[in-house]
Amino acid sequence: MARLRQALVDCELIDMGFVGPRFTWSNRFTKERLDRACQNVQWRELYPFSRCITLPLSRFDHCPLLIEMYPEPAILIRTPKLFRFEEMWLQHTDCMKVVQQGWMLPTIGEPMMQVGRKIKQTGQLLLRWHSGVFQQRQTEMKLIQGKLDDLMKQSFEPGYFEVQKALQFRLNELLSANEMYWRQRSRVQWLKDGDHNMAFFHRRASNRRCRNRVKGLLNDEGQWTVDQGEVNELIIQYYEAIFRAGGSDPAAA
């Protein structure tokens, strides 16, 4: 550990902290946070609102870490969902029947207009079929991941290990069944980042400034918010609640 700490100092790397479960690995006897994300001063100045998220367990016995890179607070904009043909549909025996059903629906108009309408009708049928058949797998996966997430947040208990292993086994089955689904959506991104020597005291001061900055808070509904106005309101509500004067019992005095 002394060599690891010295390596972090020599490379001028700083722990990013984390959002989510504290522990990233467990066995029958203990739980630990063995996985961490590090950054240097220049990278943090470019992406001051970045964060490291601990994801639920999946195929391996370590929780994966997701680094979200934000130069400024993220603004989520919902866009209309476009139709995408899923490669995994071809493995289901009912896929051909759904396509034939959509293509046989009656249409009117010019020949090419009818072709366009048939394609649209078939796509709508496929999406409804997908929601009824394949979406159940996604829902089950989210439920299992939520349970694994809750288990990793709790302190070590010997009885939880077998439950955790059973959930991981079922999650691995679902991931294997959806292998094509994930491969179709996979993207490979490469990040090239240079490193320059910085003064030690500058790094320590920058580290403190980063830790003291409130990048976001969870509201009462458990939703993460980075809007500065909402963050300020949550802070005010919190301190108003803990410093509110309560009633006193004269008899107890």
Side-chain angles (χ1 to χ4, degrees):
M1 291 304 299
R3 292 183 179 180
L4 175 61
R5 295 191 185 98
Q6 186 60 45
L8 293 177
V9 172
D10 294 341
C11 297
E12 299 180 345
L13 295 176
I14 306 167
D15 192 343
M16 290 184 63
F18 60 92
V19 176
R22 174 184 177 186
F23 305 106
T24 63
W25 173 85
S26 66
N27 61 11
R28 294 180 181 273
F29 311 104
T30 185
K31 282 185 177 181
E32 296 290 345
R33 183 169 185 84
L34 300 181
D35 308 273
R36 299 175 183 272
C38 297
Q39 59 185 349
N40 60 12
V41 176
Q42 295 86 355
W43 193 90
R44 185 177 55 213
E45 290 178 350
L46 289 174
Y47 305 101
F49 293 92
S50 299
R51 58 179 183 168
C52 172
I53 302 176
T54 306
L55 300 178
L57 289 166
S58 57
R59 294 180 181 272
F60 306 102
D61 57 352
H62 285 256
C63 292
L65 301 181
L66 173 65
I67 309 300
E68 290 188 344
M69 299 168 52
Y70 292 131
E72 56 188 16
I75 301 177
L76 299 179
I77 301 176
R78 293 186 177 273
T79 57
K81 186 176 181 181
L82 301 177
F83 174 79
R84 293 289 186 272
F85 187 87
E86 303 293 346
E87 186 181 354
M88 67 176 184
W89 289 347
L90 298 175
Q91 293 185 337
H92 201 286
T93 56
D94 292 339
C95 178
M96 184 61 67
K97 297 179 182 178
V98 176
V99 174
Q100 291 176 349
Q101 179 184 354
W103 202 257
M104 294 301 294
L105 291 175
T107 57
I108 58 175
E110 297 294 332
M112 293 306 301
M113 185 180 296
Q114 293 185 32
V115 172
R117 290 175 178 175
K118 286 180 179 292
I119 293 175
K120 183 177 181 181
Q121 292 173 166
T122 304
Q124 293 173 348
L125 283 178
L126 285 170
L127 288 178
R128 288 199 292 267
W129 173 68
H130 173 84
S131 300
V133 176
F134 290 95
Q135 198 64 34
Q136 296 178 0
R137 296 180 181 178
Q138 306 300 323
T139 303
E140 185 179 0
M141 286 175 56
K142 290 181 180 179
L143 291 175
I144 294 177
Q145 288 174 342
K147 293 179 180 179
L148 288 172
D149 190 58
D150 293 337
L151 286 175
M152 293 304 294
K153 289 179 181 178
Q154 300 176 17
S155 301
F156 174 75
E157 290 290 341
Y160 291 162
F161 184 74
E162 295 300 329
V163 177
Q164 175 182 319
K165 285 298 181 182
L167 291 173
Q168 282 185 259
F169 181 80
R170 177 55 182 163
L171 182 60
N172 291 339
E173 289 183 337
L174 294 172
L175 288 175
S176 298
N178 290 340
E179 183 177 358
M180 287 188 177
Y181 179 87
W182 297 117
R183 187 176 68 237
Q184 188 171 343
R185 282 159 173 73
S186 64
R187 297 292 184 271
V188 179
Q189 297 178 350
W190 296 92
L191 174 64
K192 295 182 179 179
D193 184 35
D195 188 15
H196 301 280
N197 292 326
M198 295 293 292
F200 174 77
F201 290 106
H202 177 226
R203 185 171 67 250
R204 291 295 297 269
S206 180
N207 185 31
R208 167 176 280 187
R209 183 170 63 252
C210 181
R211 290 181 180 275
N212 290 338
R213 177 183 296 167
V214 179
K215 301 177 182 178
L217 291 174
L218 291 174
N219 57 24
D220 295 337
E221 299 177 354
Q223 297 177 345
W224 181 263
T225 178
V226 294
D227 182 79
Q228 192 60 44
E230 296 180 8
V231 170
N232 294 340
E233 186 65 23
L234 289 174
I235 294 175
I236 294 174
Q237 293 177 1
Y238 173 78
Y239 283 102
E240 285 180 348
I242 63 176
F243 290 111
R244 184 179 295 114
S248 59
D249 188 0

